[in-house]
Amino acid sequence: MPLPSLVNSWKSIVNPIEWSKPDPEDGYIRFYAPPEIDGIVEAGLVLTGGTYSQHPDWHVTFELSVAGLAGHRHTKLIRVDWRDTKGGHSNNRRKCAGDGKRVPETHLHSFELNWIEAERRMKRGKLPCAEAIDQELQSFEQLRSFVGTRFRINNIGIVPRPDWVYDLFQ
């Protein structure tokens, strides 16, 4: 299926989602979920999520990617970064049409900004172009709902809150 169709088709998560155990080195937790489109699981298409178990309500990433295209291990299609602990970043001036603007800690690496229609491919790099999100995402549930809409995943609600470790002294 062409990349624009993978992104623009409505998808469903087929299996229950479980966050991984924290990585022993950095505490990072993640999930992987292959979505289906019209009852068919597209080969290599995967929804991932990740965050740090010790940073509740911070540094959450959702990404849709596909494996095995043109010799690449994964082609990233769309990503949301929510409350990135490193803050925002600047867009690459060369890759993002001369736009070196800085995006805030919550931003969207949209398919549209990173797709080169004339060449029918994604821009090189890890989704180099991003934009601010024009709505307030104050909770994980609001983020999850936003992801469901932007990634076109109709049952995004089955993604549970991460297994964050809450500390009274943070």
Side-chain angles (χ1 to χ4, degrees):
M1 183 177 280
L3 296 183
S5 296
L6 289 175
V7 173
N8 294 321
S9 296
W10 278 98
K11 295 164 272 303
S12 297
I13 299 169
V14 291
N15 297 320
I17 302 294
E18 289 187 26
W19 290 89
S20 68
K21 294 196 180 316
D23 181 279
E25 291 183 24
D26 62 9
Y28 200 75
I29 58 176
R30 56 184 51 89
F31 74 81
Y32 298 91
E36 66 179 14
I37 298 172
D38 295 328
I40 298 170
V41 176
E42 291 289 332
L45 185 64
V46 66
L47 171 69
T48 59
T51 187
Y52 291 99
S53 61
Q54 71 274 20
H55 291 293
D57 301 307
W58 286 94
H59 201 86
V60 178
T61 297
F62 281 91
E63 184 173 84
L64 187 66
S65 63
V66 65
L69 296 176
H72 298 286
R73 288 175 36 167
H74 273 90
T75 299
K76 298 169 185 310
L77 302 173
I78 184 172
R79 183 175 72 242
V80 170
D81 294 313
W82 182 58
R83 295 181 172 173
D84 187 346
T85 55
K86 297 174 188 167
H89 62 81
S90 295
N91 282 331
N92 181 308
R93 289 182 185 273
R94 272 194 351 256
K95 293 181 180 179
C96 302
D99 181 2
K101 72 177 177 182
R102 185 154 182 86
V103 294
E105 63 190 15
T106 297
H107 54 272
L108 172 67
H109 293 260
S110 71
F111 178 78
E112 296 79 15
L113 279 179
N114 291 283
W115 174 249
I116 303 172
E117 178 62 35
E119 299 175 26
R120 306 288 298 159
R121 68 171 180 85
M122 300 301 291
K123 292 179 181 177
R124 299 197 197 298
K126 298 178 181 179
L127 297 172
C129 304
E131 60 193 336
I133 294 173
D134 62 358
Q135 65 188 80
E136 291 278 331
L137 302 176
Q138 296 296 320
S139 67
F140 176 80
E141 290 74 21
Q142 289 175 336
L143 168 65
R144 183 177 59 196
S145 178
F146 176 83
V147 168
T149 301
R150 285 306 305 246
F151 289 32
R152 299 180 68 88
I153 299 173
N154 58 26
N155 64 340
I156 194 72
I158 71 169
V159 175
R161 285 182 67 77
D163 297 325
W164 280 311
V165 176
Y166 286 89
D167 183 346
L168 295 176
F169 300 106
Q170 284 186 346

